[in-house]
Amino acid sequence: MPNPVVAIVGRPNVGKSTIFNRLAGERISIVDDVSGVTRDRIYAKGEWLGKTFNIIDTGGIDITDEPFMSQIKLQAQVAIEEADVIIFLTSVREGVTDADENVARILYQSDKPVILAVNKVDNPEMRAEIFDFYSLGLGEPYPVSGSHGLGLGDLLDSVVANFPSEDENAEEEDIINFSFIGRPNVGKSSLVNAILGEERVIVSNIAGTTRDAIDTMFVDEEGTKFRMIDTAGIRKKGKVYESTEKYSVMRAIRAIERSDIVMVVLNAEEGIQEQDKKVAGYAHEAGKGIIILVNKWDTLEKDNHTMKEFEEKIRKEFQYLSYAPIMYVSAVTKQRLSTIPAKIKEISENQNRRISSSLLNDVLMDAVAHNPTPTDKGRRLKIYYMTQVAVKPPTFVVFVNDPELLHFSYERFLENRIRDSFDFEGTPFHLIARQKK
Ligand code: GDP
Ligand code: GDP
């Protein structure tokens, strides 16, 4: 079940980023190769009343070379396309402006719920001034103050109440959802079309959760159902903002949320770029299955070492994805494309795999016998037992005398032993240390 998306729109200086920062519990972090984590300014996770959601500050999507008014109109369009609920932010200081009215007119055309918020209502006396905002025709205005943190609870109540119902969003259980993500021009749409050409049993084009996303379903010979999720660049609509990096990262994140398995597409000609790492890192953090596809393999002059050299580069740049298989493909010559669905299926099985506690503990005992647990300040780590508590991604709880003593390197060692014994290729994996009481 993907998280609902909330977008904040409004003209510059009304306080969008201030409100965004207030609502953002945790920035959606994007794994960086060495330094660990970089932050994306426009996208974050929030939580209210136990519901988590993703939040976008559309003000952060800069569309260069566009005049002021068309910038904010485009931002409003992005919100309409991408969000489940839109917060339209205005400011009590300037009152209702022409720009506000223009944004409102765009928002009327959408059937997405719009919540009107009036910012900078820093004290109760100013509340009387918000009634002017009824003239925008978007219902009751919510007074808030980003700098003082006022009114946000009522605003969030209303946002959450407007989320799509669970049934509306429910997606069938027995379908494997996958998507192609990557920078513009790596060949995502060519891959989609080529695969559709190969797979003869296309079930239908079905509308996804976002009204204008078009997913495609197909079934393999064994009756396994696949859903190919529409991603940025696949059904190009020719809008200016589609080529901006922020927008394409945002679309990618949205597609990743809805996927079980993510195909991270790289361009063999151009090698690995910074943006490739961002989206791959997000898929990893989100616990999704991952396959690395090196597309345009036909364009390289190859000798016996080419594949090996490419693999070494990928392993070095994407160290956290050591579990992800790499496939070298071409959307043009169709090389290896027919093997993709089988690989996806294999990884889907791996991410749903459950290992019995007794088998797991055999592996654990054996691992500890070969590589004794570390000591820290005279205290030795003791591992009592381990049990799998979840799938997708496989999650294991290991009971120990003191979780602090389970250092990263020993955790890595245990993970590798488990991976050596059971097939978890293509799926990230969580190991949680708990103190045994
Ligand atoms: P954005 O351009 O819409 O993202 O607006 P910012 O969040 O950057 O805020 C613009 C200015 O308004 C900054 O100087 C903020 O400090 C100020 N501001 C934001 N929220 C409030 C508020 O609730 N009250 C007051 N008085 N100022 C605010
Ligand atoms: P997207 O933006 O990621 O969807 O990329 P496209 O599918 O639009 O492809 C961008 C360009 O790369 C197009 O000109 C494609 O014809 C070309 N292309 C895509 N896949 C391949 C491939 O495997 N080999 C070669 N030689 N060109 C490709």
Side-chain angles (χ1 to χ4, degrees):
M1 166 87 196
N3 284 324
V5 173
V6 178
I8 307 179
V9 300
R11 60 191 169 75
N13 276 316
V14 290
K16 291 184 298 300
S17 42
T18 308
I19 296 285
F20 173 82
N21 286 324
R22 286 271 181 191
L23 303 186
E26 163 197 357
R27 287 308 169 87
I28 287 181
S29 52
I30 306 284
V31 175
D32 198 10
D33 51 348
V34 211
S35 62
V37 165
T38 55
R39 305 286 174 188
D40 204 301
R41 198 166 62 84
I42 63 162
Y43 216 93
K45 260 201 169 71
E47 196 196 319
W48 185 248
L49 305 175
K51 293 215 164 90
T52 52
F53 53 88
N54 292 336
I55 172 160
I56 318 170
D57 173 8
T58 60
I61 304 169
D62 36 49
I63 304 144
T64 42
D65 302 336
E66 287 288 323
F68 164 80
M69 196 55 87
S70 68
Q71 285 247 9
I72 43 180
K73 283 187 185 167
L74 287 169
Q75 287 164 357
Q77 274 168 20
V78 171
I80 290 172
E81 275 187 36
E82 298 303 321
D84 297 300
V85 176
I86 298 165
I87 297 177
F88 175 25
L89 197 66
T90 58
S91 161
V92 77
R93 300 243 158 166
E94 294 81 24
V96 177
T97 68
D98 289 349
D100 292 337
E101 281 169 356
N102 274 312
V103 175
R105 268 195 285 277
I106 295 168
L107 297 178
Y108 295 151
Q109 292 159 20
S110 147
D111 52 3
K112 302 272 172 87
V114 176
I115 295 163
L116 175 62
V118 183
N119 192 30
K120 310 196 185 182
V121 182
D122 297 336
N123 56 58
E125 293 80 69
M126 295 169 86
R127 282 176 163 248
E129 294 167 45
I130 70 168
F131 295 104
D132 289 347
F133 290 83
Y134 273 104
S135 71
L136 287 171
L138 289 165
E140 185 191 346
Y142 284 79
V144 294
S145 167
S147 20
H148 296 74
L150 301 172
L152 299 174
D154 288 345
L155 176 65
L156 283 169
D157 282 346
S158 171
V159 166
V160 167
N162 279 285
F163 283 161
S165 72
E166 309 258 326
D167 307 342
E168 235 175 279
N169 246 347
E171 300 199 333
E172 285 165 74
E173 278 292 306
D174 64 339
I175 294 185
I176 306 176
N177 298 293
F178 73 98
S179 57
F180 293 92
I181 61 158
R183 288 176 293 117
N185 283 319
V186 291
K188 297 179 298 295
S189 31
S190 308
L191 284 165
V192 165
N193 292 325
I195 287 183
L196 291 184
E198 301 260 302
E199 298 297 326
R200 263 155 303 155
V201 207
I202 306 297
V203 178
S204 63
N205 280 345
I206 40 172
T209 45
T210 39
R211 261 140 274 209
D212 48 12
I214 313 227
D215 300 334
T216 314
M217 276 201 340
F218 60 87
V219 177
D220 71 5
E221 285 106 50
E222 290 160 3
T224 306
K225 291 184 219 155
F226 297 87
R227 176 188 280 120
M228 197 148 57
I229 291 171
D230 181 41
T231 331
I234 293 183
R235 323 271 160 160
K236 295 190 175 82
K237 293 186 217 83
K239 296 190 181 135
V240 237
Y241 50 80
E242 282 176 358
S243 60
T244 68
E245 178 183 329
K246 287 232 169 67
Y247 180 76
S248 82
V249 170
M250 190 179 81
R251 287 299 298 266
I253 291 177
R254 187 116 166 89
I256 291 167
E257 286 283 347
R258 298 182 53 221
S259 303
D260 300 306
I261 292 162
V262 170
M263 321 291 283
V264 174
V265 186
L266 307 177
N267 179 342
E269 281 180 305
E270 294 172 355
I272 300 154
Q273 313 272 318
E274 215 34 56
Q275 201 187 331
D276 295 330
K277 293 192 217 166
K278 276 196 186 178
V279 281
Y282 184 72
H284 167 77
E285 288 192 355
K288 304 297 182 175
I290 297 176
I291 297 174
I292 298 172
L293 283 190
V294 183
N295 188 36
K296 309 201 187 181
W297 197 240
D298 58 295
T299 60
L300 296 192
E301 286 277 347
K302 290 179 279 284
D303 60 30
N304 290 340
H305 306 291
T306 317
M307 205 179 267
K308 193 159 170 284
E309 281 163 12
F310 223 95
E311 161 141 23
E312 277 166 13
K313 244 188 286 177
I314 291 173
R315 294 302 177 205
K316 184 161 164 282
E317 297 284 348
F318 296 93
Q319 284 182 22
Y320 51 90
L321 295 185
S322 55
Y323 54 79
I326 304 172
M327 299 175 83
Y328 302 87
V329 303
S330 165
V332 167
T333 67
K334 310 237 163 40
Q335 191 180 17
R336 297 192 193 89
L337 292 190
S338 61
T339 63
I340 289 178
K343 197 73 194 169
I344 290 176
K345 205 151 107 178
E346 221 178 287
I347 288 171
S348 167
E349 280 163 17
N350 293 348
Q351 63 186 172
N352 285 295
R353 190 177 304 289
R354 279 185 193 279
I355 310 292
S356 74
S357 296
S358 65
L359 277 177
L360 212 49
N361 283 294
D362 286 348
V363 172
L364 183 67
M365 291 310 144
D366 195 53
V368 175
H370 279 89
N371 182 5
T373 53
T375 53
D376 190 359
K377 299 188 193 81
R379 294 181 61 226
R380 180 173 292 281
L381 170 71
K382 284 204 190 84
I383 302 181
Y384 300 105
Y385 61 95
M386 188 184 246
T387 184
Q388 183 174 359
V389 294
V391 296
K392 278 179 83 183
T395 304
F396 302 89
V397 171
V398 49
F399 290 89
V400 298
N401 56 337
D402 179 358
E404 299 269 301
L405 294 171
L406 180 60
H407 295 169
F408 180 73
S409 59
Y410 203 79
E411 195 180 310
R412 253 298 157 81
F413 162 73
L414 289 179
E415 170 169 349
N416 289 337
R417 292 314 293 258
I418 296 170
R419 287 189 183 275
D420 289 344
S421 309
F422 311 104
D423 190 358
F424 286 117
E425 187 189 37
T427 176
F429 181 119
H430 292 163
L431 200 66
I432 301 165
R434 285 267 164 74
Q435 182 158 25
K436 186 180 168 241
K437 299 204 184 76

